[in-house]
Amino acid sequence: MTTPTSTEIPFLELHEASTLIRSRQLSSREVTEAMLERIERLEPRLQAFATVMAESALAEADRADALLSRGNWLGDLHGVPVAVKDLANTHDAPTGAGTTIHADFRPDFDATVVARLRTAGAVILGKLRLTEGAFTGHHPDLPTPVNPWDADTWSGVSSSGSGVATAAGLCFASLGSDTGGSIRLPSSANGVTGLKPTWGRVSRHGIFALAPSLDHIGPMTRSSRDAAIVLRAIAGHDPADPTSSLEPVPDYPNELHVDRAPVVGFDRTLAEEHFDDATNAMLEDTITKVTGLGWRVLEVETPGFEAAAKEWTALCGVETAGVHSETYPARADEYGPDLSGLIDIGRGLSAVDYHRLLESRRDFTGRMRTLMADIDLLLLPGFGVGSPTIAQMANLGSDQKLFAAVTVPTAPIDNCGMPSITLPAGFTDRGTPLAAQFVGGDFAEPLVLAAGHAFQQVTDHHTRHPAL
């Protein structure tokens, strides 16, 4: 591999940067300095970082180089600069979770996912901005990350900083969280690959929660191959999180092969009812691509996605009210309108209301498992509106059709906890990204990653970058 220039380094895929560092064509310090210089230049415009950890990142890069000089290579993340969403505890930087109330909170330990990244040799560049408490809206007193493809285009929620930073070449990978679509929506909006693992596949210890039974932590990267590398590092049981799964962790990067042609389910009626023309054209093109790979596409009827999406808000609200019980309503005047509105919804539900929601969620999950027993993957868009503008999304709370287009392909997959990969799959007429989503059955991450990798071998959408 030819040694890239400092201007070429930021848009390498993670595995390419790893190869260059391992072969010592580049040092981790050189790569880290290139990223920090780019962050310094672009961050005032993009507002992706809550905290840049330059000093500690350079120290970690020097440690990685010293280890490598002694012949100690820790794996594919060794010396590679990444960044994490600012709801993951870091012992050496604040964790504000997109709030003003917790802006100065300094935990004394790393979240398990951060600790595992560091154990794997990754260099932590900093903490990435998110919406307040990881819900839908940024706190009115804090900056909103700017979509690097187009400043007037929505950058997604709530892992918006993770999507912007990864797309703009400010890190080689990032961590996001997904409670109702917040890995998939910003991955779609910013043209990156996002993996929402099975609930419990990745520890939530040290993560500021939005709704614990819906929260998922996962990687946002340039490619499916890179997502596999990050997932291998962060997945697995954690005694500090008793809800984390005991399932063994596969060697994801070395299982990126589809052993047999998968059966892909597609609900055309759902698409026609809820998704816009640009999104449906992208889905049809995706179907053409996968049938060209020899995969079989089967028309299916999905089990009550619209109802599941509507119920998600109330389910989330109850849990969010519990998470914030120490500060809300006691400090309600310090909250932004979106998060406080969600908490009020949760606090207003009765025990009977909540019981009915839980029964409906269990029913939906059972019907999804029945569907996935007959297919290997379910094709959905990353979200159902083709790269909406900020002005369009200002109406999300009042426009029911828009709300359904955004939540129908995302929130139900959090309700049932199944894994999903979001893949760049096209562009709008104005050059902004569109994305497809492959959903798999419980713990089918090897299949969804392999499917994503196969798709990216016959498309080049993920290799295109914003012209900054």
Side-chain angles (χ1 to χ4, degrees):
M1 185 176 179
T2 305
T3 303
T5 66
S6 59
T7 57
E8 294 171 330
I9 288 172
F11 282 124
L12 294 172
E13 291 187 26
L14 185 153
H15 66 272
E16 295 172 327
S18 175
T19 297
L20 290 166
I21 292 169
R22 186 183 187 187
S23 65
R24 304 181 72 177
Q25 290 176 259
L26 288 172
S27 67
S28 176
R29 173 170 269 269
E30 288 172 322
V31 176
T32 302
E33 286 178 340
M35 302 304 275
L36 289 171
E37 288 168 7
R38 186 171 176 84
I39 292 168
E40 184 177 12
R41 179 161 51 87
L42 294 177
E43 176 57 20
R45 171 180 165 189
L46 297 177
Q47 295 292 316
F49 280 83
T51 305
V52 178
M53 299 161 59
E55 185 176 346
S56 61
L58 290 170
E60 289 175 343
D62 288 341
R63 282 195 293 274
D65 288 334
L67 279 172
L68 200 56
S69 70
R70 297 193 295 269
N72 296 323
W73 183 66
L74 299 177
D76 291 322
L77 284 168
H78 187 121
V80 178
V82 302
V84 299
K85 187 173 179 176
D86 191 32
L87 50 55
N89 281 1
T90 42
H91 76 273
D92 47 356
T95 301
T99 72
T100 55
I101 287 179
H102 301 288
D104 298 321
F105 172 58
R106 283 187 166 267
D108 58 6
F109 69 98
D110 286 340
T112 297
V113 288
V114 174
R116 287 177 175 176
L117 286 175
R118 285 177 159 153
T119 298
V123 171
I124 308 297
L125 290 168
K127 310 293 289 295
L128 297 163
R129 291 195 188 279
L130 65 150
T131 51
E132 185 184 15
F135 189 47
T136 56
H138 291 269
H139 192 284
D141 294 338
L142 297 175
T144 298
V146 177
N147 191 309
W149 294 90
D150 173 34
D152 293 327
T153 294
W154 191 55
S155 60
V157 293
S158 69
S159 309
S160 49
S162 300
V164 169
T166 307
L170 306 185
C171 57
F172 292 101
S174 60
L175 292 186
S177 67
D178 196 307
T179 307
S182 295
I183 287 173
R184 291 162 291 161
L185 293 170
S187 293
S188 303
N190 295 286
V192 301
T193 300
L195 180 77
K196 183 192 82 68
T198 306
W199 190 83
R201 176 73 291 181
V202 175
S203 170
R204 293 178 294 107
H205 177 63
I207 300 294
F208 189 98
L210 173 58
S213 80
L214 296 163
D215 293 346
H216 305 66
I217 309 300
M220 297 169 68
T221 60
R222 309 262 164 77
S223 67
S224 185
R225 180 175 176 180
D226 288 352
I229 290 170
V230 178
L231 183 63
R232 178 175 60 185
I234 64 174
H237 181 66
D238 173 17
D241 176 6
T243 69
S244 60
S245 174
L246 293 166
E247 286 284 321
V249 178
D251 186 2
Y252 299 113
N254 290 312
E255 296 186 13
L256 292 175
H257 48 83
V258 178
D259 293 326
R260 59 173 179 79
V263 177
V264 180
F266 179 60
D267 188 337
R268 196 172 300 278
T269 301
L270 186 79
E272 291 172 352
E273 288 181 354
H274 294 295
F275 311 147
D276 69 6
D277 291 344
T279 300
N280 282 323
M282 176 273 298
L283 289 171
E284 293 298 339
D285 184 64
T286 300
I287 289 170
T288 299
K289 292 290 192 304
V290 301
T291 53
L293 288 167
W295 303 2
R296 184 160 69 95
V297 176
L298 180 67
E299 293 211 13
V300 299
E301 182 178 344
T302 47
F305 267 48
E306 185 176 9
K310 287 180 178 178
E311 291 171 353
W312 176 89
T313 302
L315 283 164
C316 185
V318 171
E319 296 191 29
T320 305
V323 169
H324 290 264
S325 59
E326 292 186 9
T327 53
Y328 193 95
R331 299 171 66 180
D333 59 337
E334 298 176 65
Y335 279 72
D338 291 334
L339 185 57
S340 62
L342 176 69
I343 294 172
D344 287 338
I345 289 171
R347 290 172 63 87
L349 290 174
S350 70
V352 172
D353 293 333
Y354 188 48
H355 169 74
R356 287 173 178 158
L357 288 168
L358 291 178
E359 286 296 299
S360 181
R361 181 182 179 185
R362 279 190 282 266
D363 179 75
F364 173 76
T365 301
R367 287 184 288 143
M368 273 297 292
R369 287 177 175 152
T370 299
L371 172 65
M372 298 309 297
D374 294 328
I375 59 176
D376 300 302
L377 301 166
L378 177 65
L379 172 63
L380 293 165
F383 62 103
V385 184
S387 189
T389 63
I390 294 169
Q392 279 179 275
M393 293 304 289
N395 300 315
L396 183 63
S398 58
D399 186 333
Q400 291 302 306
K401 185 174 178 61
L402 177 63
F403 183 82
V406 172
T407 58
V408 162
T410 53
I413 310 305
D414 286 301
N415 285 2
C416 67
M418 292 178 178
S420 169
I421 193 164
T422 301
L423 305 161
F427 292 88
T428 66
D429 292 341
R430 65 182 198 279
T432 52
L434 299 168
Q437 180 185 178
F438 291 142
V439 179
D442 294 326
F443 297 101
E445 285 86 355
L447 174 60
V448 299
L449 286 162
H453 182 65
F455 181 77
Q456 290 179 335
Q457 300 311 294
V458 297
T459 59
D460 65 356
H461 312 300
H462 67 293
T463 67
R464 293 173 59 180
H465 309 296
L468 288 164

